[in-house]
Amino acid sequence: MIKDTVKELISSGRLELINGGMCMHDEATVHYIDMIDQTTLGHKFIKEEFGQIPRIGWQIDPFGHSAVQAYLLGAEVGFDAFYFFRIDYQDRDTRKGTKELEVVWRGSKSFGSSADIFAGIFPQNYEPPPGDFYFEVDDDSPVVQDDPLLFDYNVEERVNGFVAAALAQANITRTNHIMFTMGTDFKYQYAESWFRNMDKLIHYVNKDGRINALYSTPSIYTDAKYAANEQWPLKTNDFFPYADNPNAYWTGYFTSRSALKRYVRMMSGYYLAARQLEFFKGKSKLGPTTDYLGDALALAQHHDAVTGTEKQHVANDYAKRLSIGYTRAQELVSTSLACLTELGSKPHCSSPTTKFSQCLLLNVTYCPPSEMDFSKGKSLVVLVYNSLGWKRQDVLRVPVFSDSIVVHDSEGREVESQLLPIASASLNIRDKHVKAYLGTSPGVTPKFWLAFPVSVPPLGFNTYFVSSMKKSASVSSKSTVYSSQGSEYSSLQVGQGNLKLQYNAAGAFSLYSDSKTLIEANFEQKYKYYIGQDGNGSDPQASGAYIFRPNGTVPIKTDSQVPLTVLRGPIVDEVHQQINSWIYQITRVYKGKDYVETEFIVGPIPTDDGNGKEVATEIVTNMATNKTFYTDSSGRDFIKRIRDYRSEWKIEVHQPIAGNYYPVNLGIYVEDGNKELSVLVDRSIGGSSINDGQIELMLHRRLLHDDGRGVAEALNETVCLGNQCEGLIIEGKYYLKIDPQGEGSRWRRTFGQEIYSPLLLAFSEQDGGNWANSHTPKFSAMDPTYSLPDNVALLTLQELEDGSVLLRFAHLYEAGEHKDLSALASVDLKRVFPDKKIGKIVETSLSANQERAAMEKKRLKWKVQGPPADEKVIRGGPVDPSKLVIELGPMEIRTFIVSFERSISGKQLL
């Protein structure tokens, strides 16, 4: 009954569904692929359940707003407008004075005006207007009392207050339409008292006649604005960072709950790969699916989820849902891989005999399959799946016991490998966390990491075999271990290829040199922490889950008593440093790779001195970077940042550090005309360039005070084992490279994609026998002579319930970003799916809820002040169903629903 009433209200337009994702996602700490996935999921439900296509974006609570939200999750999903509230208080004040709270936002340099969207910023908050118009049954606002026999009769007073609020807002708004948002958080728990009072207000205000009030929806408001035929001010770039008063920059949440942020990012890449494997096997209604993981990931994009701005028990709930989804998707992945490896496996194979397992706790050095005893003639089968559309070479690492091990590839050739002793810092984490997660101790401790190079075809897998050495075979190389102190440091150099790192007499990284690009740069990398403001000063604002408010900076001196440990070998050189009692660092240079990988273990952050701490690492060079640096927008476009400067308004700087922090999802870079220094990250993180030539990343935060923005809890994460609790440890990686000016984008885009989509490992074992006799050791879903162009990624390959397939490709470069790769790219679907015949292909909006052509026809085109832009926008043309080639212009993402004809051969995609 209620469902029917709601459907009737929606179909008559009296109730409108807006935004329409599974949640109102964040815009700073989310990756664009997750934004697309969660919106697609919500839009699918709304289409199926109500037959509706949302046309308005409603991002009223996220803490700052990204360019990607405006053009990608706005224009490209077919929205005509989107509305929000949180922009910097100085920016808002400026806009009120110039009537620029409503603008046309051009979020993409590559798409220009073709992806414009109308953006409305609320003048004060997302609540009723000033003057006490809250009508929850227990609110303090006076109700509209219209019985003249009662002493609290107040119609005139209430009407005057309402009209005054309307005129005040009209004075800062263009056209003669304004919006009042009648509600806020946790309201309408008793809706009748709201509607009773609003009915009266509308009646008496209209009777008064000075203004006209009506019940409306965001669509009706948008259409009224459009009908006014106004030219609107233009907005470019984004709305970061956000401050709501001089000492309250909401830039702490860029890093808050760093472990949850990493978990979300890992699950995102895993979900992408798992959906591919679900498609290859055939989606099953009975067995495990990827659906639960998709739902859990969608929820985790909420602006109080991945942001780290929720209470601890709520964060636990998000993580638990992800964990359940991961476990189910893992079963599906193992079954799919087993089906693909078993020779003659038919489509929709459901019960393969090969059993694969995965190591979900490999990040804490725990992998039961690889920790097996090789002495009894068994060997470990490592199947390596690559979800990217191009061939990939990488180095794998798994923990092992034995020091006499040999690795072979799928053709039986020996593969060079290296054993690296496992650092005690890693083993401590293993012991504690395995027990915390599984309830049991992990058992005997492995001694080594086994590292070996792998090569994997696009959208496919390769198989490697690890076994104990035969007497005559050459064994995996043991790393040579050096422990050096003092004067020995100055001659210390690591790296065996083009890239070399030099250390100075103090044992610190001092020189980066690449003999291929002839780059040489002086260089320092160090740690520091900011003391979190406790809120006891004249301004009671504390540093907390949302807000970064430092109260002094403390450099962290490296403990010179603890020697560096250097590991060298044929695959990788490593330098291990115990920075202090709670920070451990491993710097790696791989043979044949031209970047530096840094692994950090930070925590438990001590708080026994009564101070919360916000830990950052910084890279310091002598590059003259002129206050300028670049950070990504939700993992997509790079936006130019200038310290202490905003391009569209004059900023008064009160917080020179916090006010220059920006969200980093893919990377951050600086340039000086000769070279560019890029740092890529493995999760969402806060970063900046506080001084010229410097880049810093905030790695972890542990604070003791709430910042007064609604969490009502300090950001003080702990891990408990029995009754013993200690601060959370963060383990992570960042990657660094210096390129000649103009050359860095290729690494940022290609390697950035590899960080997002790591190789997926599945393990099995064989006892004697020959795996290749009964299994396919190597597979690619694509034509063996084909791979996607270097500037294109496959974002989505997902079988839907009706058997059709959702397919999404993205161009990875902006217009003008790279001299060769910012060009039109094309994808040949006949070669992507060589063993399937495409019966039908339909291009849709980004969220796949309407045909693209219909969406473009009905989207409103807004007028902008000033001369028309001189722009050359490149987009791919329509797809010819006979040729089946998809073209992509710079930054373009194209979405299709594809129907395949029934299988044309007995084999499945092999």
Side-chain angles (χ1 to χ4, degrees):
M1 174 66 191
I2 290 177
K3 281 186 173 181
D4 292 341
T5 307
V6 170
K7 284 182 175 174
E8 165 53 34
L9 288 169
I10 288 170
S11 64
S12 67
R14 290 165 70 196
L15 184 61
E16 184 182 9
L17 298 172
I18 52 177
N19 229 19
M22 292 288 281
C23 66
M24 186 189 292
H25 57 222
D26 182 49
E27 299 180 37
T29 63
V30 285
H31 193 275
Y32 73 95
I33 293 180
D34 292 325
M35 296 165 100
I36 294 169
D37 283 342
Q38 84 89 11
T39 303
T40 301
L41 209 54
H43 282 190
K44 178 171 179 285
F45 173 78
I46 287 173
K47 184 97 180 272
E48 289 169 357
E49 188 71 16
F50 304 105
Q52 295 290 313
I53 294 170
R55 55 175 285 236
I56 303 293
W58 190 258
Q59 289 287 111
I60 60 173
D61 201 23
F63 331 121
H65 301 278
S66 79
V68 158
Q69 177 65 32
Y71 82 85
L72 198 60
L73 278 302
E76 296 289 299
V77 294
F79 289 169
D80 286 318
F82 92 111
Y83 296 94
F84 50 93
F85 150 54
R86 296 187 186 277
I87 69 167
D88 188 281
Y89 71 102
Q90 295 181 44
D91 189 7
R92 184 188 315 277
D93 289 347
T94 305
R95 289 177 181 281
K96 282 179 179 174
T98 54
K99 291 194 176 182
E100 292 188 15
L101 284 168
E102 292 178 321
V103 295
V104 169
W105 189 351
R106 186 168 297 165
S108 166
K109 297 188 286 285
S110 302
F111 292 152
S113 60
S114 73
D116 283 356
I117 190 166
F118 182 79
I121 304 157
F122 301 153
Q124 189 158 0
N125 46 34
Y126 52 80
E127 308 200 3
D132 256 358
F133 296 98
Y134 294 82
F135 300 121
E136 201 67 28
V137 75
D138 56 352
D139 276 332
D140 295 332
S141 302
V143 297
V144 181
Q145 178 55 268
D146 58 352
D147 184 342
L149 298 176
L150 295 175
F151 295 130
D152 58 347
Y153 175 80
N154 62 2
V155 169
E156 197 178 328
E157 193 183 312
R158 296 270 64 196
V159 165
N160 285 341
F162 195 84
V163 170
L167 295 175
Q169 189 163 325
N171 283 338
I172 54 171
T173 310
R174 300 182 189 211
T175 81
N176 58 350
H177 297 277
I178 61 169
M179 182 196 294
F180 280 168
T181 48
M182 296 301 292
T184 179
D185 299 4
F186 314 120
K187 299 301 179 185
Y188 290 86
Q189 296 182 39
Y190 183 65
E192 195 194 329
S193 65
W194 278 93
F195 285 105
R196 187 170 61 242
N197 282 283
M198 289 192 292
D199 284 348
K200 290 180 180 181
L201 265 179
I202 289 171
H203 172 71
Y204 291 114
V205 162
N206 291 345
K207 204 169 159 188
D208 171 84
R210 283 174 286 171
I211 61 171
N212 179 51
L214 68 154
Y215 283 122
S216 183
T217 67
S219 267
I220 294 171
Y221 180 78
T222 301
D223 289 339
K225 286 285 175 177
Y226 186 73
N229 206 18
E230 178 88 8
Q231 289 192 332
W232 298 94
L234 184 68
K235 160 73 188 165
T236 56
N237 292 339
D238 64 5
F239 287 99
F240 286 117
Y242 162 59
D244 58 1
N245 67 54
N247 293 317
Y249 276 90
W250 298 46
T251 55
Y253 81 97
F254 300 161
T255 297
S256 297
R257 298 197 188 279
S258 185
L260 178 65
K261 285 175 161 67
R262 173 68 183 143
Y263 198 23
V264 169
R265 184 63 51 85
M266 279 172 66
M267 291 304 95
S268 179
Y270 193 85
Y271 179 52
L272 184 147
R275 282 177 292 169
Q276 294 175 358
L277 290 163
E278 187 169 40
F279 163 71
F280 298 148
K281 176 183 157 295
K283 193 171 172 102
S284 136
K285 293 214 168 30
L286 302 169
T289 70
T290 57
D291 295 350
Y292 195 101
L293 180 57
D295 286 348
L297 256 176
L299 281 183
Q301 309 312 317
H302 186 275
H303 60 270
D304 279 315
V306 66
T307 50
T309 53
E310 64 279 72
K311 287 180 185 286
Q312 186 60 52
H313 73 274
V314 181
N316 295 345
D317 187 82
Y318 286 123
K320 185 175 184 175
R321 289 173 190 280
L322 288 169
S323 172
I324 294 168
Y326 194 8
T327 307
R328 291 188 188 175
Q330 182 205 223
E331 284 176 51
L332 167 103
V333 163
S334 294
T335 309
S336 299
L337 290 172
C339 286
L340 292 172
T341 58
E342 291 186 4
L343 289 174
S345 175
K346 298 284 181 287
H348 289 275
C349 121
S350 58
S351 48
T353 54
T354 308
K355 293 284 176 266
F356 280 108
S357 57
Q358 289 160 67
C359 291
L360 307 192
L361 296 178
L362 195 56
N363 64 322
V364 293
T365 321
Y366 181 63
C367 183
S370 71
E371 296 172 22
M372 62 189 275
D373 179 0
F374 293 113
S375 62
K376 301 187 172 59
K378 287 186 175 174
S379 56
L380 174 70
V381 179
V382 186
L383 185 141
V384 189
Y385 178 73
N386 171 22
S387 58
L388 295 178
W390 55 71
K391 182 182 173 184
R392 184 160 173 190
Q393 262 122 0
D394 214 333
V395 173
L396 295 191
R397 305 162 68 88
V398 291
V400 294
F401 287 108
S402 170
D403 60 357
S404 52
I405 280 180
V406 64
V407 181
H408 291 92
D409 66 13
S410 53
E411 274 130 44
R413 290 185 298 252
E414 199 177 299
V415 176
E416 187 167 42
S417 59
Q418 180 180 345
L419 290 168
L420 299 112
I422 298 175
S424 55
S426 302
L427 293 175
N428 291 342
I429 289 182
R430 168 192 160 99
D431 292 345
K432 241 173 256 172
H433 287 74
V434 172
K435 192 157 188 196
Y437 294 142
L438 303 183
T440 55
S441 288
V444 191
T445 305
K447 295 193 182 73
F448 303 102
W449 284 107
L450 169 68
F452 58 95
V454 295
S455 173
V456 196
L459 280 198
F461 61 73
N462 206 344
T463 315
Y464 291 82
F465 304 91
V466 181
S467 52
S468 68
M469 163 192 95
K470 304 282 180 290
K471 285 283 178 281
S472 59
S474 59
V475 65
S476 177
S477 306
K478 260 186 158 168
S479 309
T480 45
V481 181
Y482 303 87
S483 185
S484 54
Q485 243 174 324
S487 60
E488 302 163 38
Y489 287 146
S490 51
S491 57
L492 177 59
Q493 184 176 298
V494 293
Q496 328 160 35
N498 298 318
L499 177 60
K500 302 268 193 298
L501 303 183
Q502 187 86 36
Y503 285 75
N504 63 18
F509 183 9
S510 65
L511 186 71
Y512 173 112
S513 60
D514 185 333
S515 56
K516 187 177 171 193
T517 58
L518 303 179
I519 286 277
E520 208 169 78
N522 290 338
F523 200 103
E524 232 187 315
Q525 183 255 338
K526 48 195 182 178
Y527 289 86
K528 62 183 174 187
Y529 66 81
Y530 297 106
I531 298 170
Q533 175 66 255
D534 61 9
N536 280 331
S538 54
D539 177 347
Q541 181 60 61
S543 210
Y546 297 93
I547 286 165
F548 173 31
R549 189 184 177 201
N551 183 21
T553 309
V554 180
I556 295 174
K557 300 249 189 306
T558 302
D559 186 347
S560 55
Q561 300 307 303
V562 182
L564 290 186
T565 303
V566 184
L567 309 179
R568 297 184 195 273
I571 311 296
V572 61
D573 285 358
E574 291 189 348
V575 179
H576 290 241
Q577 285 170 287
Q578 183 79 52
I579 306 294
N580 67 6
S581 62
W582 48 274
I583 300 178
Y584 191 85
Q585 174 174 295
I586 307 169
T587 306
R588 299 188 179 97
V589 182
Y590 291 96
K591 180 182 172 185
K593 302 278 187 189
D594 51 4
Y595 60 84
V596 182
E597 173 184 300
T598 301
E599 180 178 349
F600 55 87
I601 299 171
V602 176
I605 298 175
T607 54
D608 43 8
D609 58 0
N611 287 328
K613 298 176 183 63
E614 319 194 38
V615 182
T617 187
E618 54 181 336
I619 290 118
V620 183
T621 70
N622 54 12
M623 292 167 67
T625 53
N626 194 21
K627 293 188 167 184
T628 303
F629 56 107
Y630 299 80
T631 63
D632 66 90
S633 177
S634 309
R636 199 93 180 110
D637 310 61
F638 276 92
I639 296 185
K640 182 179 187 174
R641 313 295 189 185
I642 300 173
R643 208 159 51 246
D644 297 338
Y645 174 79
R646 306 290 185 265
S647 60
E648 290 164 338
W649 47 283
K650 188 165 174 21
I651 182 174
E652 204 176 300
V653 181
H654 300 282
Q655 287 286 328
I657 296 170
N660 286 302
Y661 254 69
Y662 289 86
V664 179
N665 281 282
L666 165 62
I668 176 171
Y669 71 94
V670 291
E671 55 187 29
D672 67 358
N674 297 315
K675 54 187 178 290
E676 40 192 290
L677 161 66
S678 310
V679 178
L680 302 184
V681 296
D682 68 349
R683 72 197 74 195
S684 173
I685 210 163
S688 187
S689 174
I690 297 294
N691 299 301
D692 278 5
Q694 180 253 26
I695 284 177
E696 69 174 66
L697 298 172
M698 188 183 286
L699 306 177
H700 192 8
R701 319 176 70 219
R702 187 181 185 193
L703 297 161
L704 305 178
H705 300 273
D706 176 58
D707 55 11
R709 292 303 184 281
V711 188
E713 207 175 83
L715 180 69
N716 183 6
E717 297 172 282
T718 56
V719 172
C720 300
L721 200 50
N723 300 326
Q724 291 280 130
C725 296
E726 56 179 33
L728 178 69
I729 295 173
I730 295 295
E731 181 273 336
K733 294 187 178 79
Y734 67 85
Y735 307 86
L736 179 150
K737 190 171 189 295
I738 304 179
D739 285 287
Q741 180 78 40
E743 297 293 314
S745 61
R746 185 176 194 131
W747 180 70
R748 290 192 291 269
R749 294 299 183 185
T750 304
F751 189 64
Q753 215 54 35
E754 295 184 1
I755 297 169
Y756 173 79
S757 281
L759 291 169
L760 190 157
L761 308 185
F763 302 91
S764 189
E765 60 175 57
Q766 66 165 350
D767 209 342
N770 187 342
W771 181 268
N773 289 345
S774 52
H775 296 85
T776 304
K778 200 170 180 179
F779 157 88
S780 173
M782 304 212 291
D783 175 327
T785 61
Y786 186 70
S787 67
L788 292 185
D790 288 349
N791 49 6
V792 173
L794 170 63
L795 298 192
T796 314
L797 174 57
Q798 178 178 4
E799 185 174 334
L800 303 173
E801 282 74 9
D802 62 1
S804 63
V805 172
L806 180 60
L807 187 62
R808 233 183 236 113
F809 290 99
H811 195 299
L812 295 174
Y813 290 77
E814 296 174 62
E817 185 178 358
H818 189 276
K819 59 184 190 304
D820 305 320
L821 294 167
S822 289
L824 193 69
S826 56
V827 174
D828 184 344
L829 289 185
K830 289 180 179 174
R831 297 178 75 191
V832 174
F833 302 109
D835 293 303
K836 287 187 175 287
K837 189 168 184 339
I838 291 176
K840 189 179 177 200
I841 180 166
V842 176
E843 184 166 12
T844 66
S845 65
L846 184 71
S847 61
N849 66 346
Q850 56 190 317
E851 290 197 18
R852 173 101 200 175
M855 174 194 98
E856 288 186 342
K857 204 174 287 177
K858 67 184 188 202
R859 258 195 86 228
L860 303 181
K861 306 280 186 286
W862 297 85
K863 292 180 177 172
V864 176
Q865 285 176 349
D870 175 25
E871 48 186 24
K872 295 185 188 65
V873 175
I874 303 170
R875 286 187 186 254
V879 176
D880 178 335
S882 61
K883 295 202 176 85
L884 292 172
V885 171
I886 294 174
E887 296 176 332
L888 296 143
M891 276 287 115
E892 191 169 20
I893 298 178
R894 296 183 71 179
T895 306
F896 301 88
I897 303 282
V898 176
S899 303
F900 290 103
E901 292 180 0
R902 289 286 156 232
S903 187
I904 49 174
S905 65
K907 65 178 184 164
Q908 191 215 344
L909 286 177
L910 296 173

